[in-house]
Amino acid sequence: MQDDHGHTHHAQGHDHAGHDHAHSHSHSHGLGHGHGAGHGAGHVHAPKNFGPAFAIGIALNLGFVGVEALYGWLSNSMALVADAGHNLSDVLGLVAAWIAAVLVKRAPTARFTYGLRGSSILAALFNAVLLLVATGGIIVEAVQRLLEPAPVAGTTVMIVAGIGILINGFTAWLFASGAQGDINIRGAYLHMMADAVVSVGVVLAGLVILVTGFDWIDPLVSLAIAVLIIVATWGLLRDSVAMSLAAVPPGIDPEAVRAHLAARPGVRGLHDLHIWSMSTTEVALTAHLVVAGGAPDRHFLKDTADTLRARFGIHHATLQIEIEGETACTLAKDCVA
């Protein structure tokens, strides 16, 4: 047994066919195991703490939902009521994202060997589905209002929506720094940004109603809001579904990873290559590498893990070493990857 890079081991054993078998396991953790140094660019194993941002965003938006719904009802504005409903779904989404951000930091257990990292993926998927369901309700109500227009208090609509621009814009800013590296945080950011843009649309609708008296503008803006929400949500839904199905993350070219591993010193072939998202911020890889002339040198696993992390952002690599002509792998003939 040889320990390398703090958590990399190379063990000799036998498979069921009685052949010599080598299993290599290389983990690239940001904390613990004595190997925090040397991580590649862009690797954030321990995501930034957005707890205060979630708390502030939820409090502000929950208060605004009540104000917006009340004045939407008093002013007979479907656009305000629709936006309030959307903001309520965002509050629920923020709660789900916050819970996931906490759970993702839980330590692994005997049953949940990866910890609860996958909860961030479930939260992103929940956010996307919740938004689409809320949008369906907005569309139904807006169509009914188009068929039966009602008077709208344009001034009230503009004032309340103007407050919404400030609240949603500020909340979006709280999550801006994490929007690129974490789909869970990106979901929260996109919702708030979409709400800010929607509130701008509601202000313009109120202005048009004041100038023209065309009350049908209000439900028309509601439909436009619905379209914007669907467009903004589609990417989140697509990415979260792909992550939940263990697809290769969109920013990683699996063929480039395969070529990189195949070009490592001593590697004669590889199979059973899998790349997937462990969470919304971490990528895992498993692969069987066939090497010639015995086991690779003691630096092979560490160097391979380091290059996978630096070049592709793969944080958790598990590599099984097989000796060419000596090791029989039961997966090799069945694996098409």
Side-chain angles (χ1 to χ4, degrees):
M1 181 74 66
Q2 181 182 23
D3 196 320
D4 189 19
H5 194 42
H7 197 65
T8 300
H9 56 271
H10 174 217
Q12 290 290 348
H14 296 278
D15 60 17
H16 295 294
H19 295 280
D20 287 339
H21 182 72
H23 180 267
S24 302
H25 194 180
S26 175
H27 290 182
S28 305
H29 296 302
L31 295 175
H33 306 296
H35 60 280
H39 287 222
H43 169 46
V44 182
H45 184 79
K48 178 182 175 182
N49 179 22
F50 282 93
F54 280 117
I56 295 171
I58 290 171
L60 286 176
N61 282 274
L62 194 57
F64 182 61
V65 164
V67 172
E68 194 171 31
L70 174 62
Y71 279 94
W73 178 70
L74 292 176
S75 63
N76 203 29
S77 170
M78 182 55 214
L80 275 183
V81 174
D83 197 35
H86 176 51
N87 272 306
L88 179 59
S89 74
D90 279 348
V91 170
L92 297 177
L94 285 175
V95 171
W98 192 5
I99 292 174
V102 172
L103 292 179
V104 78
K105 298 178 182 179
R106 291 287 183 89
T109 65
R111 181 171 180 82
F112 297 96
T113 56
Y114 279 137
L116 298 176
R117 291 180 173 96
S119 60
S120 57
I121 298 174
L122 294 179
L125 181 58
F126 171 79
N127 259 321
V129 173
L130 182 64
L131 270 171
L132 292 178
V133 170
T135 302
I138 292 175
I139 292 174
V140 170
E141 187 64 27
V143 170
Q144 291 176 349
R145 281 296 184 94
L146 274 176
L147 297 176
E148 299 178 9
V152 177
T155 302
T156 301
V157 170
M158 292 174 65
I159 293 173
V160 175
I163 297 172
I165 294 174
L166 297 177
I167 291 177
N168 292 319
F170 174 71
T171 306
W173 175 78
L174 293 176
F175 295 103
S177 64
Q180 295 301 317
D182 186 343
I183 189 178
N184 187 35
I185 300 300
R186 176 156 61 96
Y189 171 77
L190 286 177
H191 290 180
M192 295 302 103
M193 278 300 296
D195 281 351
V197 173
V198 164
S199 294
V200 171
V202 174
V203 169
L204 294 177
L207 180 61
V208 172
I209 291 172
L210 282 177
V211 173
T212 66
F214 295 154
D215 294 320
W216 52 266
I217 292 293
D218 182 76
L220 191 64
V221 168
S222 296
L223 289 176
I225 288 173
V227 172
L228 285 174
I229 295 171
I230 292 172
V231 171
T233 305
W234 178 250
L236 181 66
L237 178 65
R238 179 196 61 221
D239 291 346
S240 58
V241 167
M243 282 186 172
S244 66
L245 295 176
V248 176
I252 296 178
D253 181 357
E255 291 307 314
V257 175
R258 177 181 291 276
H260 172 72
L261 289 174
R264 297 294 297 155
V267 174
R268 294 292 183 264
L270 67 95
H271 62 92
D272 205 43
L273 172 63
H274 301 285
I275 308 168
W276 74 99
S277 296
M278 296 171 61
S279 71
T280 54
T281 59
E282 295 174 288
V283 180
L285 171 149
T286 60
H288 292 212
L289 303 181
V290 181
V291 301
D297 66 59
R298 63 186 300 272
H299 300 293
F300 178 85
L301 291 172
K302 177 184 181 301
D303 292 344
T304 302
D306 287 347
T307 57
L308 286 172
R309 186 170 55 250
R311 289 189 56 180
F312 303 104
I314 296 173
H315 320 128
H316 189 113
T318 303
L319 304 172
Q320 177 163 306
I321 302 300
E322 298 166 5
I323 310 304
E324 186 178 33
E326 298 179 15
T327 306
C329 178
T330 57
L331 295 176
K333 66 180 187 309
D334 298 324
C335 182
V336 296

